[in-house]
Amino acid sequence: MAATIVEKIFSSRCGREVHAGEVVMAPLDGAMIHDITGPLAIRVFREMGGEEVFDPARVTMLFDHQIPADSIPAAENQADMREFAREQGILNYDIREGVCHQVMVEKGRVAPGEIVVGADSHTCMYGAVGAFATGIGSTDMGFALKFGALYFRVPESIHLEVHGAFSPRVGAKDLILEITGDIGADGATYQALEFSGESVHRLSMAERMTCCNMAIEMGGKTGIVPPDEVTWSYIKDRRGVSPFPLASDPGARYNEKRSYDVSQLAPKVAVPHNVDQVVDVGRVAGTPIDQVFIGSCTNGRYEDLALVAEVLGDRSFSDRVRVIIIPASRDEYLKSLRAGLIERFVTAGGLVEAPCCGPCMGGAFGLLAPGETSLSTSNRNFRGRQGSTEAEVYLCSPATAAASAIKGEITDPREV
Amino acid sequence: MRVWKFGDNVDTDAIIPGRFLIINDARELAQHAFQGTRDEFRTEVAPGDVIVAGRNFGCGSSREHAPLALSGAGVTVIVAASFARIFYRNAINLGILPMVCHDVGSIRDGEEVRIDLNKGVIETGGKTYTTEPVPPFLRAIFDAGGLVPYARALREVS
Ligand code: SF4
């Protein structure tokens, strides 16, 4: 029977043919915990009678949400987790490497065809390398750490076919915002979003990550891009696995098919307070902003920062905005540093922080006061997400963030 | 036992804001449930109260602190037109029953409510509502008291 890539991954890992809708207990190729969800997961692992994790080599730990520890309870949580990692022999990147999802992909902790879970909703991003990856809660993670397996309902898929070439300063983030606006905040619940079409295969790994990252904003279980040459060459240096065929069959069943032509796509903005309230940038151009955040697992990679620098040129950021720029990982930071981007941002008046989640989750620093407005390249604009519940968060691409940071108000990046 | 009525797309950031995620204790988390979005909840909620919401309840972050805060407040049943996937699993795993009922529109905030878990029936405002059956595998986890007791009883996973 014709199968989608996600059904094939489950069939191969379960050792029998399974199809969408079935509940299966599937073995796990990897599991990730971070400083926020890790402590609860470890507690559950112990409550379940866990003594040794299923396979220390397949577990990744790191701290990225509240680092360096910004309170004594945060420091205690991290200290407990370090102790657990030592006791179990788990790889712990601690506070060194950056945002969990970026680190998982760039360190080769996930490969095509694998089933990987993370105790964080944006784990769906690893589908960019052709894995089935999904976010779970801490109790599920406790179970996963103990048994190395987890129950899943094999998801149905939505097929997204993308054609055409982006116009300058329009890109993957605008596309995924457009798709989110169309599908809605719960339109993909329980389903996988499969990206295909010539335009998808022209996307860099960074852009694929941006797309898959936001699958959860539609309720999706994962985003996935079937592996191609771009994927295999990215994976080669990181995992050394040789290419093998992995794609949906012609005739595979989808819940829904949508097709996009990006050649006419305008820069998009999600307006407060839902990610699916998406408009063309022109509709909100001129809105004054107090803070711009450029970073996160959605858009904190070198390619994103290079685009910001390109839009910025030798200008300065507006005095009216606080511009916070955070590379998503140490590697992305180093690439940006060597390319002179960091110096450019600091010269322009930006504040560059070490790799971490930063203001994205409103837990650590960079919080908003009541009445303030932020423009952010991250993935969520929920009320209160970046500080006060009386603040407003708009989401956009790195190019739009850069143009707006120059002007001090929301600005079409094609017009600066 | 009263109804706490919410709208569509209640996200886990609203249920428990990011700055409280350093807390791991259910009772302590409950003291911050809906802080900033519905401030009377944490002081007035009583054990056994029922949350009734529209579509996509619990969307967004995977933080289990959200259902944990609600269970710390004594909530054991949430009725919604639909649930976000991760929240749904987390709730079952913690022994909270997420009940799907498409017809929640006429249920009003503050009404007294009675629930028959086995029949999947809700009575409130003089009306009776039927909820969708919970898939048997998930119901078994809920009946065990959550995934921890379920896993304790599990000898091996095939
Ligand atoms: S950057 Fe934001 S969305 Fe990504 S893992 Fe961190 S808090 Fe979550």
Side-chain angles (χ1 to χ4, degrees):
Chain A
M1 190 168 149
T4 64
I5 178 169
V6 166
E7 289 173 315
K8 285 188 178 180
I9 293 173
F10 274 99
S11 296
S12 135
R13 300 298 293 119
C14 294
R16 68 187 168 91
E17 195 175 311
V18 298
H19 289 283
E22 278 178 63
V23 175
V24 298
M25 189 62 85
L28 301 173
D29 298 295
M32 183 281 296
I33 52 176
H34 60 52
D35 51 327
I36 296 297
T37 54
L40 275 180
I42 293 168
R43 184 169 90 195
V44 171
F45 168 78
R46 295 223 161 94
E47 283 171 4
M48 285 177 179
E51 284 169 7
E52 287 175 6
V53 299
F54 72 104
D55 181 355
R58 293 184 187 275
V59 180
T60 310
M61 177 189 289
L62 50 70
F63 311 146
D64 57 353
H65 280 63
Q66 282 173 308
I67 63 146
D70 57 355
S71 68
I72 293 166
E76 282 177 340
N77 282 340
Q78 291 169 29
D80 290 349
M81 287 185 70
R82 272 182 204 111
E83 179 55 35
F84 184 74
R86 268 195 298 272
E87 159 200 318
Q88 298 284 333
I90 294 170
L91 174 63
N92 177 14
Y93 289 119
D94 212 286
I95 65 170
R96 288 187 307 276
E97 295 296 341
V99 178
C100 52
H101 306 307
Q102 176 61 25
V103 173
M104 285 295 283
V105 177
E106 83 185 13
K107 296 286 182 203
R109 304 293 289 168
V110 51
E114 292 189 338
I115 298 180
V116 175
V117 292
D120 189 285
S121 60
H122 292 100
T123 303
C124 56
M125 188 180 98
Y126 321 163
V129 297
F132 174 86
T134 197
I136 59 174
S138 296
T139 300
D140 272 339
M141 184 52 83
F143 187 98
L145 290 177
K146 179 164 157 57
F147 295 104
L150 200 60
Y151 71 88
F152 295 95
R153 183 178 174 280
V154 180
E156 286 84 11
S157 296
I158 296 177
H159 191 260
L160 299 165
E161 176 122 10
V162 188
H163 297 289
F166 289 106
S167 10
R169 297 187 177 172
V170 181
K173 181 62 166 292
D174 303 299
L175 169 65
I176 197 64
L177 284 173
E178 162 101 339
I179 293 173
T180 308
D182 288 349
I183 292 184
D186 62 352
T189 302
Y190 293 105
Q191 300 165 75
L193 293 174
E194 182 181 328
F195 296 91
S196 74
E198 23 106 12
S199 306
V200 170
H201 293 289
R202 278 201 302 268
L203 296 178
S204 66
M205 284 308 298
E207 294 168 305
R208 296 175 188 199
M209 289 186 223
T210 299
C211 291
C212 292
N213 181 278
M214 292 194 61
I216 181 67
E217 306 316 328
M218 294 159 256
K221 210 155 166 171
T222 196
I224 191 162
V225 178
D228 58 12
E229 276 145 48
V230 176
T231 324
W232 293 115
S233 78
Y234 184 89
I235 283 296
K236 194 164 145 260
D237 308 337
R238 291 170 168 82
R239 271 290 276 279
V241 286
S242 317
F244 57 88
L246 181 61
S248 297
D249 293 324
R253 280 222 304 259
Y254 294 94
N255 267 5
E256 196 179 336
K257 288 190 177 189
R258 286 172 182 268
S259 135
Y260 287 86
D261 175 2
V262 296
S263 55
Q264 298 303 316
L265 191 69
K268 297 281 172 181
V269 174
V271 304
H273 297 280
N274 286 304
V275 190
D276 61 358
Q277 263 147 42
V278 176
V279 299
D280 284 354
V281 65
R283 286 268 303 281
V284 286
T287 307
I289 44 180
D290 302 291
Q291 181 164 301
V292 173
F293 167 49
I294 299 169
S296 87
C297 51
T298 321
N299 280 120
R301 283 169 280 277
Y302 168 76
E303 286 86 341
D304 300 314
L305 302 187
L307 188 57
V308 171
E310 186 265 311
V311 174
L312 180 61
D314 53 10
R315 288 174 283 198
S316 289
F317 296 124
S318 162
D319 292 344
R320 282 177 291 166
V321 280
R322 315 181 291 267
V323 182
I324 302 171
I325 300 173
I326 311 186
S329 72
R330 193 165 60 97
D331 282 8
E332 301 301 303
Y333 195 169
L334 276 170
K335 269 190 267 175
S336 308
L337 194 65
R338 289 178 183 138
L341 305 182
I342 305 296
E343 185 174 351
R344 186 76 276 285
F345 299 150
V346 176
T347 309
L351 197 65
V352 180
E353 298 285 343
C356 67
C357 298
C360 177
M361 192 200 63
F365 57 82
L367 305 192
L368 301 170
E372 287 193 327
T373 300
S374 154
L375 184 66
S376 176
T377 67
S378 57
N379 45 37
R380 287 193 177 132
N381 60 350
F382 302 152
R383 191 182 281 284
R385 172 81 179 179
Q386 292 184 9
S388 168
T389 50
E390 307 298 317
E392 300 204 313
V393 179
Y394 291 76
L395 304 176
C396 68
S397 72
T400 302
S404 308
I406 298 165
K407 294 280 182 191
E409 57 187 39
I410 297 179
T411 302
D412 187 329
R414 300 168 301 184
E415 288 169 10
V416 296
Chain B
M1 300 218 286
R2 61 159 284 193
V3 166
W4 290 86
K5 185 78 188 283
F6 291 84
D8 294 338
N9 298 318
V10 173
D11 59 78
T12 52
D13 275 79
I15 301 172
I16 187 80
R19 61 189 180 282
F20 302 118
L21 300 185
I22 43 173
I23 303 169
N24 297 314
D25 178 71
R27 290 284 189 77
E28 237 183 286
L29 282 166
Q31 286 164 21
H32 304 288
F34 295 109
Q35 187 162 336
T37 48
R38 193 155 177 196
D39 282 312
E40 76 278 17
F41 182 87
R42 55 209 164 99
T43 49
E44 292 172 21
V45 67
D49 282 359
V50 173
I51 289 176
V52 178
R55 281 168 50 184
N56 206 22
F57 187 83
C59 61
S61 159
S62 67
R63 60 187 69 171
E64 200 161 304
H65 307 70
L68 198 57
L70 300 181
S71 95
V75 172
T76 53
V77 176
I78 303 171
V79 182
S82 68
F83 290 89
R85 184 187 61 83
I86 303 177
F87 183 92
Y88 186 87
R89 279 182 82 119
N90 287 347
I92 297 253
N93 287 344
L94 288 176
I96 296 176
L97 194 63
M99 302 175 93
V100 176
C101 177
H102 297 293
D103 183 29
V104 291
S106 52
I107 300 179
R108 285 204 304 271
D109 190 56
E111 280 177 344
E112 283 295 306
V113 60
R114 287 220 325 254
I115 293 193
D116 185 328
L117 287 186
N118 291 325
K119 293 201 187 113
V121 168
I122 310 164
E123 270 180 63
T124 180
K127 279 208 227 156
T128 307
Y129 301 84
T130 311
T131 61
E132 283 182 11
V134 178
F137 179 73
L138 300 181
R139 181 70 205 216
I141 294 175
F142 173 77
D143 288 340
L147 193 63
V148 171
Y150 181 88
R152 279 215 196 104
L154 205 68
R155 286 224 194 80
E156 69 180 22
V157 179
S158 55

